[in-house]
Amino acid sequence: MSTRARKTWGAGALVALAAAFLALTIVVTFALRGARLDLTASRLYTIAPGTERIVGSLTEPVNLYFFLSDEASRSNPALRAYAQRVRELLEEMAQRSNGKLRLTVIDPQPFSEDEDRATDFGLAAVPVGTNGEPLYFGLAGTNSTDGRETIGFFQPDKEEFLEYDVASLVYRLAHPKKPVVGLLSTLPVDASFDQMTGQMREGWAAIQQTRELFDVRAVARDAKAIDPDIGVLLLVHPKDLPPATLYAIDQFVMRGGKLLAFVDPVAESERPADPMGGMGGDRGSDLAPLFAAWGIAYDPKQVIGDLAHALTVSMRQGEPPAPHVAVLALGSDAMAQDDVITRGLQAVNVMTAGTVAPKDGSKLEFEPLLRTSAQSAPIPAGRLTVMTDPGELLEGFTPTGKQYAIAARVHGRLKSAYPDGLPANGTAPGNGLKESKGAADLVIVADTDILSDMLWIRRQNLFGQAFAVAWANNGDLLANMLDNLAGSDELISVRGRQSFFRPFTRVDELRRRADERLREKEQELDRELKDTEQKLTALEAARGDAGAGLVLTREQQAELERFQAERLRIRRELRDVRRGLDVEIDRLGTMLKAINITLVPALLAIGALLLAGLRRRRFAAGRAADRAGGTPAGTRV
């Protein structure tokens, strides 16, 4: 083969390769459009399966408007990084919605129509910079029926719940009808006539708030069936329910209904049936047959006490307030930090509450939402019914060192408490479900007083108008529970995700070990320095007491000089120790820089040399073939 022919063939091959590469690029661009590979350890860039099902099941268009002030956010790199994360999540959700989720990104410039649009949606602007330029960083959504939902401002400190918030907004737009909540209560939670005072009493603020957010329907205490329209059943102090009603509740849960149950060993809000009999009777409630079958442990004869969270209360007017170990003020440290129900809550108060736990051998997923400290212990409920002084509860109170769950989320397959239908004393046998359809979702709270006004509402009167002021988050807790349970199973499955902030665990470990090791050395040197300075002070004091004419002996002078030199050495070593804290960290950083600067380019250079060598070998083989009048097999590409 001639050299000219060989060159012509090589040029043609290059053109063919270029055309093939271009064709492959086009095919990959369209065939793998939207394909992504998430290599993060916690799958941070992969939306949850529940979110994917929510956006994938949209039947009507949902419009999302992401407002971000580009110029105003430039001075905050951390916020801009979070904004990029929000935008990527929205784009990912829109991409998986089969065109039903339409995303529009808007930069609302000051005094523009876009800013008016953001204001019309009710988004909040944060003033930034010296001139107070408005910064918008929120989301608004609309549906085909003029429904609106907004996230006023994306707060970076709530990043773990970003996906849940957005998925919840999309779900509410796709299902604009208010969720139906069934309410069964044996306590006066609604406005009613008080026979003891002869006056009307107000309903509980928490229940009134629930009626504003949901379609609340009353369920009779002796109901024999739960309306199929009800998505969440709210039980407040289900005391002495007839078997037929317990069976109806059981079958409601077996069918997939969500249950929020507030039970109580001592319900302080319960009014005695006989006003003359006092408050010494049984004020507990239970769902004993259901809990036993479902694998939930709850003892209505035990109240939990907690020294660390005891609230200071006054039992009678005129008496000084005192700590009450059965009236607890639970802060954020006593709440689940990674659950959407308790996120953002600062204080929840409970009174004479019980505890819930999974029964031994139970396979349920059990997540405490509210829990006591380790300075807690059970108290017989009978002591609370006749107690007059909260100090009495401290007698014999010995913390067990364990933490107890006051409220918990329960998830899993459940067995029916009535596999053979209605119990013998029921109205008729039934052919109900023997186990739940799929995994059931329950929230159990071992306190009913948590909903009463006295633990979170202070009523005031201003210029003749009464209004309520919340001093705790009890009402918010109920709203969060119902809002979470009223969503679909997909929404409930979207829980808090790991934060995008990834700490340098290796650096933190090096810092911790170095700190421990060097702190010991630092303390040792500090002790030596103090000892040396004490000896120097003693020598100088002795010379001063003897008068200026005291001449130290040769041995004393040498000792004095040695102490002074020792003091200088210890101080120098102490400075070196304190500077040496970051030595290993700096060494690790240097090693990483060396890898990035030298090793990676070296590997690329080696690859380039190998490729060049391969080309030279092929070229040499071609020349040899030309001289030999043939072409070696395998040299053409």
Side-chain angles (χ1 to χ4, degrees), residues 581-620:
L581 177 62
D582 295 328
V583 169
E584 291 189 45
I585 297 173
D586 293 340
R587 188 181 298 120
L588 176 62
T590 303
M591 182 178 67
L592 293 176
K593 290 177 183 177
I595 291 174
N596 290 331
I597 295 172
T598 61
L599 183 58
V600 173
L603 291 175
L604 293 176
I606 291 172
L609 290 174
L610 290 175
L611 183 59
L614 179 61
R615 289 176 176 173
R616 283 197 298 270
R617 289 179 61 187
R618 289 182 174 177
F619 179 75

Side-chain angles (χ1 to χ4, degrees), residues 131 163 189 231 346 365 413 425 472 474 490 506 558:
N131 298 325
E163 184 174 347
V189 298
Q346 301 298 321
E365 295 180 24
R413 297 293 294 267
N425 58 347
N474 296 33
E490 287 78 13
R506 175 63 176 164

Side-chain angles (χ1 to χ4, degrees), residues 200-280:
M200 290 294 296
R201 58 182 167 220
E202 298 185 43
W204 291 1
I207 302 301
Q208 293 175 2
Q209 176 180 275
T210 300
R211 294 189 182 279
E212 296 173 1
L213 300 174
F214 303 93
D215 180 5
V216 179
R217 300 181 185 178
V219 177
R221 180 182 173 277
D222 57 352
K224 295 179 175 59
I226 306 299
D227 190 334
D229 290 341
I230 292 174
V232 182
L233 181 59
L234 172 60
L235 305 180
V236 182
H237 202 47
K239 183 176 181 179
D240 299 331
L241 298 183
T245 304
L246 291 173
Y247 176 74
I249 296 171
D250 174 87
Q251 290 300 295
F252 169 80
V253 173
M254 295 303 111
R255 293 195 307 267
K258 311 300 190 300
L259 178 68
L260 173 56
F262 289 82
V263 293
D264 202 331
V266 180
E268 301 290 346
S269 303
E270 180 181 338
R271 300 300 177 98
D274 178 12
M276 302 301 295
M279 298 294 288

Side-chain angles (χ1 to χ4, degrees), residues 484-528:
N484 184 247
L485 291 175
S488 66
D489 292 335
E490 287 78 13
L491 186 58
I492 293 175
S493 69
V494 182
R495 308 293 290 282
R497 303 291 294 275
Q498 182 172 334
S499 172
F500 261 59
F501 172 73
R502 301 300 303 277
F504 293 97
T505 54
R506 175 63 176 164
V507 172
D508 290 343
E509 177 63 19
L510 287 174
R511 188 180 298 278
R512 185 189 62 79
R513 290 191 316 202
D515 191 45
E516 290 177 356
R517 184 178 66 254
L518 297 178
R519 186 180 292 111
E520 293 178 1
K521 183 65 175 176
E522 183 180 17
Q523 292 173 351
E524 178 184 346
L525 291 174
D526 275 333
R527 287 193 296 269
E528 291 184 14

Side-chain angles (χ1 to χ4, degrees), residues 397-451:
F397 184 85
T398 304
T400 62
K402 294 170 52 181
Q403 291 183 291
Y404 298 83
I406 296 174
R409 184 198 289 273
V410 179
H411 179 81
R413 297 293 294 267
L414 301 180
K415 298 289 185 180
S416 171
Y418 306 101
D420 300 324
L422 281 171
N425 58 347
T427 56
N431 298 317
L433 297 173
K434 300 181 184 298
E435 62 180 10
S436 60
K437 291 183 176 181
D441 290 295
L442 320 172
V443 174
I444 310 298
V445 185
D447 186 37
T448 59
D449 302 302
I450 189 175
L451 302 178

